[in-house]
Amino acid sequence: MESHILVIVFLSFGLSFIFALGGVGSAVILIPALSWIGVPFNLARPTGLFVNCVSMLGATWSNFREKKLDVKLGLPIIVSSFVTAPVGAWAGHFLPTRTLLFIFIGFLFFSGSMMIFFKGSKYAHQYREDRPVTGPLGVGVLAGFVSGLLGVGGGGIISPLMVVQGFNPKRVAMVTAFSVPFSSFSAFITYAAMGSVSVKILVFAGLAAWTGGYLGTRVMQKKMKPQSVKCLLGGVLILIGIKFLWVMA
């Protein structure tokens, strides 16, 4: 494990930077990457959650500084996901690893497909500008449970489901970045309480992820179209899902 620290730092920084361009956490790809370099799956999940937490905090700080953060829209997601994430983490602790991997593969295909194929309205005036409670609350319940179960942070659920409800993808990207740290943190605490963490990995990965998330969001705000980035990321997620299926077949 000691020999992998430098690799983990580069992975955490690079993936956090790239996924921040699309407004989502990098755990969904960091977890398989860590598994492929020899980190056990039960350690990769809480590490992914921690990286999601700090990288999206970096992204949120960037959005806050630019005064583009819609706090009221994100609050229902934060509250519900914070409550349900520990439930998912507890359930994931008792499920067989192979079962969790198949669920994870399904999540990769779902998230990747939504990023590629669902783009929302083409016209800015057709995007919703209200701040409902019920829809985002339901999104948070599902995202929190999946976040804890798989260690993915829930951004891959929050982002597409909020776009489905008619919100601007760029606004959604910022709300997702704001919401993910809360569900990730509550699930991570549950894993820590059950003893499934490596402090050394968390320290190095966390510092790299915060920097990557902050810089990635700054680039997205200034130069990138989030939907274009999400199409690219969606394709990557689907390819990783196919690779997982191939390995497990």
Side-chain angles (χ1 to χ4, degrees), residues 169-212:
K170 197 160 188 175
R171 186 183 179 199
V172 168
M174 296 176 188
V175 168
T176 302
F178 179 48
S179 305
V180 164
F182 292 90
S183 61
S184 297
F185 182 73
S186 65
F188 169 75
I189 291 298
T190 305
Y191 279 107
M194 293 186 289
S196 299
V197 296
S198 169
V199 175
K200 188 169 185 177
I201 290 177
L202 296 180
V203 170
F204 284 96
L207 289 172
W210 191 94
T211 306

Side-chain angles (χ1 to χ4, degrees), residues 58-74:
T60 297
W61 174 245
S62 179
N63 291 329
F64 179 77
R65 288 185 60 188
E66 296 291 326
K67 298 181 179 179
K68 295 180 178 180
L69 185 59
D70 193 335
V71 176
K72 289 184 179 179
L73 181 60

Side-chain angles (χ1 to χ4, degrees), residues 13-33:
F13 174 82
L15 295 176
S16 295
F17 177 88
I18 293 169
F19 274 71
L21 296 174
V24 294
S26 60
V28 68
I29 193 170
L30 181 62
I31 291 173

Side-chain angles (χ1 to χ4, degrees), residues 40-232:
F41 191 65
N42 67 321
L43 288 181
R45 279 184 292 161
T47 301
L49 286 166
F50 188 77
V51 164
N52 257 11
C53 185
V54 294
S55 66
M56 291 294 95
L57 281 175
T60 297
W61 174 245
S62 179
N63 291 329
F64 179 77
R65 288 185 60 188
E66 296 291 326
K67 298 181 179 179
K68 295 180 178 180
L69 185 59
D70 193 335
V71 176
K72 289 184 179 179
L73 181 60
L75 280 177
I77 302 174
I78 289 170
V79 172
S80 55
S81 64
F82 188 85
V83 172
T84 56
V87 179
W90 179 84
H93 195 71
F94 295 101
L95 287 174
T97 298
R98 187 173 178 84
T99 300
L100 286 171
L101 286 172
F102 275 117
I103 297 173
F104 188 77
I105 291 168
F107 176 82
L108 289 173
F109 282 113
F110 165 79
S111 185
S113 299
M114 291 297 288
M115 285 182 177
I116 293 172
F117 299 112
F118 194 89
K119 299 177 175 60
S121 173
K122 296 181 180 179
Y123 306 102
H125 68 273
Q126 293 182 357
Y127 290 125
R128 295 177 61 173
E129 296 296 333
D130 60 331
R131 296 174 179 84
V133 173
T134 305
L137 196 70
V139 170
V141 169
L142 179 60
F145 183 81
V146 173
S147 171
L149 182 69
L150 301 177
V152 294
I157 287 179
I158 295 171
S159 186
L161 291 187
M162 290 296 284
V163 172
V164 165
Q165 293 181 48
F167 295 99
N168 188 314
K170 197 160 188 175
R171 186 183 179 199
V172 168
M174 296 176 188
V175 168
T176 302
F178 179 48
S179 305
V180 164
F182 292 90
S183 61
S184 297
F185 182 73
S186 65
F188 169 75
I189 291 298
T190 305
Y191 279 107
M194 293 186 289
S196 299
V197 296
S198 169
V199 175
K200 188 169 185 177
I201 290 177
L202 296 180
V203 170
F204 284 96
L207 289 172
W210 191 94
T211 306
Y214 177 81
L215 294 177
T217 301
R218 291 299 299 272
V219 172
M220 181 269 287
Q221 290 171 345
K222 304 295 183 182
K223 300 179 180 180
M224 303 290 292
K225 293 182 178 180
Q227 190 58 53
S228 300
V229 178
K230 285 184 179 180
C231 287
L232 174 62

